[in-house]
Amino acid sequence: MSTSGATYLLGVNQQELERLEFQHKVWGAVTRKFFSRLHVQKGWKCLDVGAGPGFVSMDLRSLVGAEGEVTALEPSEFFLSSFEERVASNGWTNVKLIQGRAEEADLPPRHYDLIFARWVIAFVPDPDRFLARLVTSLKPGGIIAIEDYFYEGLSLLPRGGAWDRMPEIVRAYYRSGGGDADIAGRGSFH
Ligand SMILES: C[S@@+](CC[C@H](N)C(=O)[O-])C[C@H]1O[C@@H](n2cnc3c(N)ncnc32)[C@H](O)[C@@H]1O
């Protein structure tokens, strides 16, 4: 499925949805620890950018409670409709869904306490533009936080096996979609 002008490199289908669910089970505790370091509070307004099927949004909803607000921004209709079903079955009235890419999204100005993107910016061809759009929607004093991989850290020691080539193969794959697998190691944005 197209993602409004760009195709999500890893695909939009049931298999990818289940892979993301598994990945969330592996990394969810790390993400929740990140949220505790950010001191996410009850009542906060949060934007989950590139929310996929909404696993991070669900964790944020449990932190901000009924008095807060969580918005899932996601280009894929397939992922969003799966999340919409979970939102309805939980009876959440303070979870919003916006379909679209961050770069063109119609977001409220100076609104969010936290804008969060996990495993998204590495796929984005123009990360400065992506961030510039999001910043306009941040409340003064709010936080933009990004969680992503840094492939340099993925090594299997002792070296000498097939794994040695893995980081470079992943980098080439991300580049083929216009992204940057090592974006998490980039020091600054403009
Ligand atoms: C690897 S998935 C991560 C999903 C979710 N953040 C999570 O942690 O489970 C990347 C998601 O980013 C979305 N995406 C890709 N480019 C995007 C963009 N420019 N703006 C917003 N979302 C984007 C994709 O459609 C996909 O759902």
Side-chain angles (χ1 to χ4, degrees), residues 13-28:
N13 49 52
Q14 185 61 26
Q15 191 182 2
E16 173 62 3
L17 191 155
E18 287 169 16
R19 190 196 67 78
L20 286 168
E21 186 161 28
F22 174 75
Q23 198 178 9
H24 179 68
K25 284 186 183 138
V26 174
W27 287 99

Side-chain angles (χ1 to χ4, degrees), residues 59-178:
D59 282 352
L60 284 171
R61 171 60 181 73
S62 75
L63 290 171
V64 304
E67 60 268 54
E69 177 190 299
V70 176
T71 300
L73 169 65
E74 166 57 43
S76 155
E77 194 182 328
F78 177 75
F79 288 155
L80 270 191
S81 63
S82 143
F83 185 42
E84 194 169 23
E85 282 172 24
R86 291 193 199 235
V87 171
S89 69
N90 282 295
W92 290 331
T93 53
N94 60 336
V95 177
K96 302 178 183 177
L97 281 63
I98 301 179
Q99 189 184 1
R101 298 192 325 144
E103 294 87 330
E104 296 95 29
D106 186 15
L107 298 170
R110 300 158 71 90
H111 183 76
Y112 297 104
D113 299 285
L114 173 67
I115 297 180
F116 188 75
R118 183 178 72 175
W119 310 326
V120 182
I121 198 167
F123 294 101
V124 169
D126 187 345
D128 291 309
R129 185 167 160 240
F130 174 89
L131 288 172
R133 179 72 199 90
L134 294 175
V135 162
T136 64
S137 204
L138 197 63
K139 208 183 252 184
I143 300 167
I144 288 200
I146 291 173
E147 179 179 347
D148 225 302
Y149 289 102
F150 182 54
Y151 281 83
E152 204 55 48
L154 286 180
S155 303
L156 186 63
L157 303 171
R159 293 192 196 279
W163 185 274
D164 290 357
R165 294 187 55 231
M166 198 279 292
E168 199 37 57
I169 290 167
V170 172
R171 286 186 184 108
Y173 181 52
Y174 273 63
R175 275 197 302 272
S176 75

